[in-house]
């Protein structure tokens, strides 16, 4: 029987070994780290994939489907990867190489490496249904925990958004709302309850969110959004704005600010049985003023009586907005940029209208005519309440 050393020497004669410089010259090679999980967590070669030696045979075809591809295997010192290279040759891989000196030499030579951030075991359990999705995974969940999303309004649209964003583990949620919780809100504003009647909506929402997920930091702004405070609030640093505003002055203010600050806005609006959702992403698509350059004059605004809305409708529209916000935060999928999604709750019908950025838009166009905030007069807006 050969000794380990003899076996290793024998294997090394039958495989290709490359030093770091030669390995880096292989264009488009798949780099596979065959070490154990704890070694990988302490640092690895950027761009490498982790396929521990013990799972090599069963997982390599998923990691590298093309058996003619260049594959660079590495371990800590170059021995485990030599045996691994021999195994891959036997599986039919034709261009397998073992990295001489492994990760230890790689680091010793001052080459670049990354130390992966990881979730704690508690968070890994809490977000396991996200982590199981390949498009999200642990990396995506870490992104969500780093994400900062600002909600305009803690009303009908803001309620499902606040709840699902908090449940998803979005690290920081800003909520702007000057109102207090009243009885007529509870038909649809599910982040509030009888326990918080009479409380500021910002505080009520914060209590609900913190009971749901203490990982989320809630920043409450108990104020009406105006030209005076909007820059200060946006300067707190937000990746995405979810607009659940129920009035035109706020909608225009949020639009103009988002263009100037370069923050995407997930817009939603509801009326009776109808809802609309779209994403205004500065530079990539239209803004709200591309659709409606100016608000209607106050005298043309219809009746000032409260508008009615089916209670579940903001649940649906606010959830669609949340889906867009999460996709934007993760950088996955196709957001509703340049697409206005219309929902008819009575017919249960979704339709989509293409919308385009206008070169003559007064704010995001080529020659903007609006360069300062405008505080429009508050007026009733066809009962488009939230
Ligand atoms: Zn525009």
């Amino acid at each position: 029987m050969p000794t380990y050393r003899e076996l290793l020497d024998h294997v090394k004669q039958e495989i290709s070994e490359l030093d770091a410089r030669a390995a880096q010259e292989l264009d488009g090679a798949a780099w596979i780290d065959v070490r154990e999980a704890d070694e990988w967590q302490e640092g690895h070669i950027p761009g490498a994939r982790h396929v521990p030696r013990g799972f090599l045979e069963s997982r390599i075809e998923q990691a590298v489907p093309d058996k003619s591809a260049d594959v660079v295997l590495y371990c800590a010192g170059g021995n485990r990867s030599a045996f691994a290279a021999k195994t891959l040759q036997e599986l039919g891989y034709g261009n397998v190489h073992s990295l001489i000196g492994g990760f230890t030499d790689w680091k010793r030579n001052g080459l670049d490496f990354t130390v992966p951030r990881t979730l704690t075991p508690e968070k890994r359990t809490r977000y396991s249904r996200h982590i199981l999705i390949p498009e999200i995974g642990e990396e995506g969940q870490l992104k969500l925990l780093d994400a900062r999303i600002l909600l305009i309004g803690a009303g009908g649209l803001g309620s499902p958004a606040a709840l699902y964003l908090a449940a998803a583990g979005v690290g920081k949620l800003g909520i702007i709302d000057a109102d207090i919780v009243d009885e007529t809100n509870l038909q649809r504003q599910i982040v509030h309850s009888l326990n918080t009647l009479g409380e500021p909506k910002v505080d009520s929402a914060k209590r609900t969110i913190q009971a749901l997920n203490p990982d989320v930091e809630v920043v409450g702004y108990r104020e009406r959004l105006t030209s005076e405070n909007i820059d200060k609030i946006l300067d707190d640093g937000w990746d995405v704005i979810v607009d659940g505003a129920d009035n035109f002055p706020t909608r225009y203010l949020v639009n103009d600010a988002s263009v100037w600050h370069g923050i995407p806005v997930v817009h939603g609006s509801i009326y009776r049985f109808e809802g609309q959702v779209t994403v205004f992403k500065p530079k990539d698509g239209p803004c709200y003023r591309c659709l409606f350059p100016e608000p209607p004059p106050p005298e043309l605004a219809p009746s000032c009586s409260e508008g009615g809305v089916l209670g579940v409708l903001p649940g649906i529209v606010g959830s669609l907005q949340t889906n867009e916000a999460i996709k934007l935060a993760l950088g996955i999928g196709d957001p509703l940029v340049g697409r206005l999604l219309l929902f008819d709750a009575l017919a249960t019908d979704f339709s989509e209208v293409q919308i385009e950025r206008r070169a003559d838009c007064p704010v995001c166009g080529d020659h903007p005519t609006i360069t300062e905030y405008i505080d429009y007069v508050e007026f009733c807006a066809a009962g488009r309440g939230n």
Side-chain angles (χ1 to χ4, degrees), residues 286-290 357-358 361 363-365:
C287 77
Y288 188 69
R289 283 194 197 266
C290 291
R357 180 178 160 261
R358 291 176 51 156
C361 171
V363 170
C364 80

